[in-house]
């Protein structure tokens, strides 16, 4: 037999949202395992993960809510399962927060939580269901002290996580379908959040400005805002010299590999990409946009 706190039941009190801790009950091990699977299924896509991420200079909680609005408007359905933590906690990775918890909310409470309406708790991760996409998650990525965390939409990479030479026809079709969807999500996120930069990647995080400045390159599918200095954009154009960029109203997307790119893109110049990433980090950490 195993004890658990009933994270599926929540109760309001003056000051915000809390887990029900008074409603402890004894459950069988199989019941506890089922509850755990429900949470895992709702907040963790099957690996490897495809991550569509943006970095925004302003309030990351506002960015998180806008990312949730974006996936909702694209037809994804919220599961109601959210990972939360008390306000005021600093963290690099979500896993650093030992007092984080998982709750399931009704529609009204969920809308409030996702958009910063709870005075005690804040959202860290929210689960959605996407039909053939399976579990889709809006989440905070790794951040550094004093900087906003990147916000991402993550989903199973499926065929995009497998080398192209191993694809069968159905894998190829699925890969191109998912690539098109991910590109659309990135464009919508960029437009809704006012992102300075972003990227699509498999099992990679989006570096913060300070990480870029110290040598962490952005992924090979980056987005750069049109508001960035021309000298920074020029460096990315040089790194992707043999890749046809895609120009959006919000900025430029550099699709560095198939099936995101048109035609057969040449390999990205990694040294030039690292240099371009450092230039981007320098521009942001030195406040050249503001």
């Amino acid at each position: 037999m195993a004890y658990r706190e009933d994270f599926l039941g929540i109760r309001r009190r003056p000051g915000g949202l809390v887990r029900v801790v008074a409603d402890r009950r004894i459950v069988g091990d199989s019941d506890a395992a089922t509850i755990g699977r429900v949470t895992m299924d709702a907040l963790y896509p099957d690996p490897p993960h495809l991550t569509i991420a943006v970095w925004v200079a302003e309030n990351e909680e506002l960015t998180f809510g806008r990312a949730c609005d974006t996936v909702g408007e694209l037809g994804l359905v919220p599961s109601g399962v959210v990972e939360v933590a008390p306000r005021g906690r600093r963290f690099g990775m979500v896993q650093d927060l030992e007092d984080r918890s998982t709750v399931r909310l009704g529609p009204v409470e969920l809308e409030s939580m996702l958009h910063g309406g709870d005075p005690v708790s804040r959202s860290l991760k929210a689960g959605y269901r996407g039909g053939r996409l399976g579990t889709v998650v809006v989440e905070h990525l790794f951040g550094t002290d004093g900087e906003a965390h990147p916000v991402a939409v993550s989903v199973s990479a499926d065929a995009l996580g497998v080398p192209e030479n191993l694809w069968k026809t159905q894998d190829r079709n699925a890969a191109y379908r998912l690539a098109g969807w991910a590109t659309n999500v990135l464009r919508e996120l960029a437009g809704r959040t006012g992102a300075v930069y972003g990227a699509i990647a498999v099992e990679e995080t989006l570096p913060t400005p300070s990480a870029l400045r110290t040598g962490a390159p952005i992924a090979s599918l980056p987005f750069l805002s049109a508001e960035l200095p021309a000298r920074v954009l020029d460096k990315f154009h040089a790194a992707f010299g043999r890749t046809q960029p895609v120009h959006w109203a919000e900025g430029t997307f550099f699709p560095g590999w198939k099936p995101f790119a048109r035609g057969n893109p040449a390999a990205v110049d990694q040294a030039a990409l690292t240099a371009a990433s450092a230039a981007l980090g320098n521009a942001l950490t030195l406040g050249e946009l503001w």
Side-chain angles (χ1 to χ4, degrees), residues 50-75:
L50 178 72
T51 300
I52 307 127
V54 293
W55 187 83
V56 180
E58 62 187 38
N59 188 327
E60 67 187 48
E61 194 166 12
L62 180 62
T63 304
F64 185 91
R66 288 174 175 172
C68 291
D69 291 340
T70 298
V71 297
E73 290 181 4
L74 290 174

Side-chain angles (χ1 to χ4, degrees), residues 2 4-8 25 27-43 81 102 104:
R4 71 171 174 82
E5 293 178 359
D6 188 0
F7 75 86
L8 297 179
R25 67 173 186 256
V27 298
D29 290 337
S30 61
D31 187 13
T34 299
I35 295 297
R37 283 197 302 273
V38 169
T39 307
M40 290 290 288
D41 289 346
L43 293 180
V81 178
T102 304
R104 173 167 283 168

Side-chain angles (χ1 to χ4, degrees), residues 196 224-237 279-280 282-284 287-290:
V196 180
L224 283 302
S225 168
E227 300 299 318
L228 285 164
R231 60 179 180 77
V232 173
L233 296 173
D234 287 346
K235 288 184 178 294
F236 278 91
H237 279 285
L280 172 61
N282 283 325
L284 296 176
E288 295 183 8
L289 296 182
W290 306 280

